[in-house]
Each structure stands twice: as C-alpha cells, then as structure tokens.
Amino acid sequence: MKKIILLIIVVACVFTACDIDRFPSTAMSADEIKNNPGANLDALLNGVYAQLKTWSDPMHRCGEYAGDNMMIRGNSSDAFFQFISYSRSPNNYRLQNFWDYSYKAIAQTSNILNMVEEGQGAAIDNKLGECYFIRGLLYFYLCRAYGRPYYDHPETNLGVPVVNGTPEDIFNLHFENRATVQATYAQVIADLQKAAQLMTVNKGAAYASKEAAWALLSRVYLYMSGTWTNPNVAYAQKSVLYADSVIDSHTYDLLSRKDFMEYNTKRPENNKESIFAVKRVAAEFSGEDHYYGIGGMYANIGGMGWGEMYASAKYIALLDETGRNDWYNKKIVDARAAFIEPTYTNDDHKVFRFIKNVYNADGVQTNFNYVQADVVVDGNTATCKEKVGDVTTEYTLTPLNVEQGIWSINYKDIKPDGTFIKDIAYKGVIDQYISLNRVYPQFYITKCSREGEESHLHSPVISRLAEVYLNKAEAAAKTGDYGTALVALNTVRERSLPGEGYSTLTAANAEQLVEKERTLELAYQAERSYDVYRNGRALTRQYPGPHLAMEDIQPTDYRVIYFIPQDAINSYPGKLTQNPTSN
C-alpha cells in the first residue's frame, strides 16, 4: 500500500511551469523516494508549494473579510459574503475549499516526512524542515479559523483533527476527532521547532526557512499570550524570544518609506522585508484570475477586476489620524495610505465628503452612508448643497483645519420620509468627487495587486519583518517591559510616519497603540479579525456598508469562529464534532 501513497498525492495537485511548481510527469512509489530521496524530493516539495497557491485564496478571504478594514458595495450571492455578514453556515464552498486545500498540503508534507528519514545530509534535512514548516503553518491557520482563541479554555475547546499522513490501510480508514486547541497548538509548535532545527539554507522568501519558522513561532506564542487584561507572561516571553531570533539574524531589513509604499509591486525574491510569501508568477495568473484572484475584488486596474470591495471608512479614519492623506494631490502622510487609491473623476468637481447616520421609519439608526455635497470655497468660508428628493438644503461649513481641507457641518438628520430628527455635527473633508459604485465612493485597495506591475498578480504575504517587530512590541508590553515594546513599536510606526513615534508606552495606552499599529500595518494580510478576537475584544464596524453596522460582534459570540464544513463532516472517517450553532 505504501507504494501508491505518492500517486494519491499526485492526483490531488495541479502544477505549472516555473521552478517552484514543477512536479514529475509520472507517479513515484514510496520505495523510489526512500532509495533516492535527493533526486525526487525537489519535485515533491515543489508540489507542496504549488498546493499553497490554491490554499492562499480562501485563506485570505476567511481572515480578511471578517474584519473591519474593508467594506463591500452591496449584498452578494457569493459564499464569501457570509464572512462579511457573519451569517455563518456549514454549507459554504469557500470554507470547504479552505479545509480541503489545507489538509491536502498536510497530507503531502506528512507523507514525505513519513517516507524519508532525516540525517541523510544537510540538503535532504533542509527539505524535510520545509515540510515541517508548511505543515505547522497549515495547522495554525486551520486552528485559528475553526477553533476558539487560545485564551478561552484551550484544554477543552476543540481545534482541528491532527492527521499526519495517509494511513497504511486506506480501505479501512478511521481518524480521531478534533484535537483540542491546546493539542493543535502543541502540534504547530513541535512542527515549527523541528523545521527551525532542520533548515540551514535560506533560499529566499518564496521558500520556507529557519527564519520563517521563527517568525511564525513568534506569532503563535503571541496568540497564546492571553489577553491584555489577563496576559500569559511565559508565552509572551517566548514570542519576544523568537521575534528577536529573526531580528538578530540580520537576514531581513525594513524597506525604506519610499520602497515600502511600493511593497505590493515587489516580487518576494526581490523584497528584503518579506520572510515568507506564497509565490505566484504571471505565467500561471492570467485571464479570469485577474478578476477572481484576491486583488480583483479590491480594485479594477486596467479594466481587470470587479472592484467591489473598498477600504472601510474606519480604516481610512485611522490612516488620517496623524494628518489627512490627500490622495488627489498626492500628499501621503501615512505611508500605508499608498495602498489605497480613490477613483477620482477627471473633471474639477469639488465636494464636501462626510459620513452621516441612516435611520429607519421609526427614527432608529440602522447604518451610515457617505454624502458628497457640491461645495464652494472662498478662503475660510465654504458652503455646500445637498439635494434629497425634491428638497435642496444649503449649509455653511465650519473650518477645523483649512490647510488640510477638514471642515464640519451642522447637518439635519432625517428619517426616510424626510421627517426631521435632529441637528448633528459631522466632520468631513473638501476633496474632489470620487466616483460611486452603487452609493459608495470607491476607495480601491491595491495592496494585493500590481506585483511586477501585473494588474492583480499577488504573492500572499505570510510573514514579514514589520510584523515580527509588532509581535515583539505586543508581547513585550504584556510582560510589562514597556521600554522594549516602545522601541519595537516605533520602529514600524516611524517608517510610515517619520518623526511621529509615540513618546511613552504604559499599561494605560499599550493596548490601544499596539492594536492601532497592527491594524494599520497588517491590513489586507488576513490578520485583522483574528487579532481582534484573540485578545478578547469585540469587532465594531460602525461605517457605511451592507453589513450590520450597528451590531458589535462580541468575542464570546459563536460566530467568531467558522463552522466545520458539512461535507467534511459527512465524509470524515470517524467522528468530527461541529462547532456550536448558537451562544
């Protein structure tokens, strides 16, 4: 039976032509692998990396869409809308894909590890280390999606099944139920530590490395470090230890501010900040991929992409906190604003843009919406007009920061039938008109596009040096070492906002400032929703969009994690327990 294991792997995967994608044209037996591992391991391992490309798409959508960095223009029949709306269902093909693609790659790596003995030379050991890294990575990503955050009873809450390889008797399969969160994390740590032990060659960010294992261990232990109100100091210290291992290796450098603003255009192998990324190449990414890939939902570039999801008003406000980013006049204050591209019209059409409350017929607020009212500016005086139905109302604006174009309006809130509710002051900006998709200005996101200048080509980033510094900052703060935390936090912040580093970090402000920088820096890298819940915080999305804007998702809500796909339960050879369907 062992002789057909590799055939099973071959059937599960599809590969293309670049070096990282090649797979042998014929199946190999286990005996062939064992007898000549040096000649065959490269092909098998490249197959594993190819599987990660398929995996990275649903991985991104599960992680990013459930957060608060983006909004969608309207309801969608696509299964990913459940991630945004929190209308959880076990019958979701994208959740099924995430599960299936993860376990395919786990099977690939496990079967290689079960067939090839270590100690046959540094080159072979390095490849085995790559397998351990990828398997540990996948178990971690699975557990944070389907298992409760680590602070919440990890010894009893369920993680995911630990299935390390194809059993010898594939006709009488029986797998164990889901391991606990604690046991799943133990598997992750064991795999990543073994990976770091075996790997001695760093082949660049497109491949696993010792440093990539350390970087991920720093994040894993951060996830285990408890909440800000009840930290686990021992795990936080280990997070700092592994972060320092990466930093002190001097293998990576933070990009300069200028280069960082073009981070998305750089290929992983040419990016000195990237530690590990899932490498994509233009030859395999053409046609519909530019629409259906990750970046295609965030922007339309050169006629390619749906461009249906935009930066949330909450994220834009965070970018503007230190100073307004004026995209039209190319005055970027926070370097991270370079990945947002509003769709300005070409004509000189000035508006006062602000966000107002939206009410139902009973006068209860149900949402928010943008207003772009035509504006006339004369020095320190500005007036705007808004037409609602047949009624046009003129407002005189109050200057807040004329240089930055920030003003306020004393606005008349009304019900859908036009009945007056109250006057309320809103802050907004004078800017050029941004074209709408349905009723929303299009703040395109390009962080997942333009690699090598290929519209939506993107190699999803798993880890980079900036995240390692942020891991260190949070973990050090949780141990009470605020001096170390401040230096690490400002290392990242001042790259994007020169001269704007925080002066102090204390128990009173550490949570707020660390969370802010993680949100700004790691946006659109599939981290945000997990970052919120692992620290026991609620997700607040009080900004325009079709989501339930007035509903805060509490960290105790059953919807914080995803359902195990029903098809996986139905086909599982053994008991596979579903996550709770209510609180």
Side-chain angles (χ1 to χ4, degrees):
M1 194 59 62
K2 289 181 180 178
K3 292 183 180 294
I4 66 169
I5 288 174
L6 265 293
L7 179 59
I8 295 171
I9 296 175
V10 174
V11 172
C13 306
V14 178
F15 311 102
T16 52
C18 73
D19 287 343
I20 201 169
D21 302 325
R22 288 201 192 100
F23 200 78
S25 58
T26 57
M28 290 177 285
S29 71
D31 287 340
E32 287 180 282
I33 300 299
K34 286 184 176 181
N35 295 334
N36 193 6
N40 297 317
L41 265 181
D42 278 341
L44 292 174
L45 192 54
N46 286 338
V48 176
Y49 284 109
Q51 182 62 33
L52 288 183
K53 300 176 187 185
T54 309
W55 163 85
S56 64
D57 182 278
M59 175 277 291
H60 178 93
R61 299 179 198 272
C62 288
E64 194 62 48
Y65 293 2
D68 54 7
N69 294 326
M70 49 73 65
M71 54 84 68
I72 189 171
R73 67 172 187 172
N75 294 334
S76 173
S77 60
D78 194 292
F80 65 57
F81 189 69
Q82 291 183 5
F83 307 157
I84 301 169
S85 66
Y86 278 75
S87 54
R88 301 294 191 234
S89 168
N91 299 306
N92 183 308
Y93 82 90
R94 291 190 182 275
L95 277 181
Q96 183 72 49
N97 288 344
F98 180 46
W99 181 276
D100 290 345
Y101 300 159
S102 297
Y103 275 106
K104 283 180 181 179
I106 286 172
Q108 289 174 280
T109 54
S110 296
N111 288 336
I112 292 171
L113 292 170
N114 290 340
M115 286 185 291
V116 179
E117 294 183 2
E118 63 181 89
Q120 300 182 66
I124 291 175
D125 280 356
N126 200 87
K127 294 178 177 63
L128 297 180
E130 292 176 68
C131 288
Y132 278 113
F133 170 81
I134 293 170
R135 190 172 73 181
L137 166 75
L138 293 166
Y139 276 129
F140 175 60
Y141 274 65
L142 281 168
C143 193
R144 68 179 189 171
Y146 297 106
R148 294 286 307 174
Y150 199 87
Y151 77 86
D152 181 12
H153 301 93
E155 70 284 353
T156 54
N157 283 328
L158 296 180
V160 295
V162 175
V163 184
N164 292 336
T166 307
E168 291 193 17
D169 185 357
I170 63 173
F171 297 107
N172 295 288
L173 289 180
H174 178 78
F175 292 152
E176 295 297 321
N177 195 6
R178 298 164 62 187
T180 64
V181 169
Q182 186 177 67
T184 308
Y185 269 69
Q187 174 71 47
V188 171
I189 291 169
D191 278 347
L192 294 177
Q193 289 178 336
K194 186 69 172 179
Q197 173 192 334
L198 289 174
M199 287 187 284
T200 55
V201 179
N202 190 318
K203 298 181 289 184
Y207 298 88
S209 65
K210 179 193 302 287
E211 293 81 8
W214 288 338
L216 192 53
L217 280 164
S218 79
R219 191 196 307 172
V220 170
Y221 277 115
L222 188 68
Y223 272 58
M224 298 170 69
S225 69
T227 64
W228 286 95
T229 56
N230 187 26
N232 185 309
V233 173
Y235 289 143
Q237 288 172 334
K238 288 188 176 182
S239 179
V240 173
L241 173 67
Y242 281 111
D244 279 339
S245 296
V246 178
I247 294 165
D248 294 343
S249 74
H250 302 294
T251 307
Y252 310 96
D253 295 299
L254 288 182
L255 297 176
S256 68
R257 184 179 194 271
K258 179 179 180 297
D259 286 344
F260 173 65
M261 292 167 73
E262 300 174 350
Y263 188 101
N264 57 314
T265 68
K266 301 179 185 299
R267 296 180 176 90
E269 62 272 21
N270 298 327
N271 192 327
K272 61 184 180 180
E273 186 171 328
S274 290
I275 299 172
F276 182 66
V278 179
K279 169 73 173 174
R280 303 300 303 266
V281 294
E284 67 179 13
F285 196 84
S286 58
E288 289 188 347
D289 285 333
H290 288 275
Y291 279 87
Y292 293 100
I294 294 170
M297 288 305 300
Y298 291 142
N300 180 296
I301 298 174
M304 303 293 282
W306 301 109
E308 295 182 4
M309 295 179 181
Y310 316 123
S312 71
K314 183 177 180 179
Y315 186 69
I316 292 169
L318 202 60
L319 286 171
D320 286 344
E321 189 173 88
T322 306
R324 180 193 164 195
N325 294 280
D326 183 350
W327 286 282
Y328 185 78
N329 291 303
K330 297 180 172 55
K331 295 179 181 178
I332 300 299
V333 176
D334 190 321
R336 293 161 294 205
F339 307 117
I340 309 300
E341 296 184 10
T343 58
Y344 291 110
T345 56
N346 292 325
D347 55 338
D348 186 16
H349 182 181
K350 280 188 168 54
V351 295
F352 178 62
R353 185 169 53 254
F354 65 100
I355 294 171
K356 69 176 181 179
N357 300 335
V358 174
Y359 303 87
N360 63 16
D362 297 323
V364 176
Q365 185 180 354
T366 58
N367 212 309
F368 304 84
N369 205 356
Y370 285 95
V371 175
Q372 295 193 107
D374 292 347
V375 68
V376 176
V377 182
D378 183 10
N380 289 338
T381 302
T383 58
C384 71
K385 293 181 180 180
E386 184 195 25
K387 185 176 182 180
V388 179
D390 296 328
V391 179
T392 299
T393 306
E394 181 171 318
Y395 297 93
T396 298
L397 305 181
T398 301
L400 299 178
N401 187 322
V402 175
E403 182 182 0
Q404 293 190 25
I406 303 172
W407 300 67
S408 71
I409 184 172
N410 195 35
Y411 187 77
K412 297 183 182 300
D413 271 3
I414 59 174
K415 293 193 291 189
D417 63 1
T419 304
F420 174 77
I421 299 176
K422 60 182 175 180
D423 288 322
I424 187 168
Y426 294 115
K427 185 171 75 171
V429 297
I430 292 177
D431 195 12
Q432 293 296 118
Y433 181 83
I434 298 174
S435 58
L436 304 179
N437 195 324
R438 297 187 181 174
V439 297
Y440 303 113
Q442 299 178 128
F443 287 92
Y444 281 170
I445 301 160
T446 59
K447 199 173 186 180
C448 301
S449 302
R450 290 208 176 105
E451 184 176 317
E453 304 302 333
E454 290 277 343
S455 64
H456 295 301
L457 180 63
H458 173 59
S459 294
V461 176
I462 301 301
S463 56
R464 57 188 176 91
L465 187 58
E467 185 220 336
V468 173
Y469 276 108
L470 292 172
N471 293 348
K472 179 178 179 177
E474 180 178 335
K478 284 180 174 177
T479 71
D481 186 355
Y482 297 109
T484 295
L486 180 62
V487 171
L489 191 64
N490 279 340
T491 297
V492 176
R493 178 174 173 80
E494 292 200 21
R495 188 258 298 275
S496 289
L497 290 161
E500 295 292 340
Y502 301 116
S503 58
T504 59
L505 197 70
T506 66
N509 67 5
E511 178 178 2
Q512 174 196 355
L513 299 185
V514 170
E515 180 188 3
K516 181 198 302 184
E517 293 309 314
R518 285 189 74 89
T519 303
L520 286 167
E521 187 72 22
L522 304 181
Y524 317 115
Q525 290 181 211
E527 297 294 325
R528 175 60 180 158
S529 61
Y530 303 120
D531 266 350
V532 171
Y533 298 129
R534 68 175 174 81
N535 268 315
R537 293 192 301 266
L539 182 75
T540 302
R541 300 184 294 171
Q542 294 187 3
Y543 53 81
H547 58 278
L548 297 176
M550 308 311 294
E551 177 189 28
D552 294 346
I553 310 297
Q554 298 300 321
T556 54
D557 197 299
Y558 76 96
R559 296 171 297 171
V560 163
I561 56 176
Y562 292 109
F563 287 127
I564 303 297
Q566 190 60 47
D567 284 351
I569 292 176
N570 294 342
S571 61
Y572 194 72
K575 180 181 180 181
L576 188 57
T577 302
Q578 182 58 277
N579 280 324
T581 57
S582 64
N583 281 95

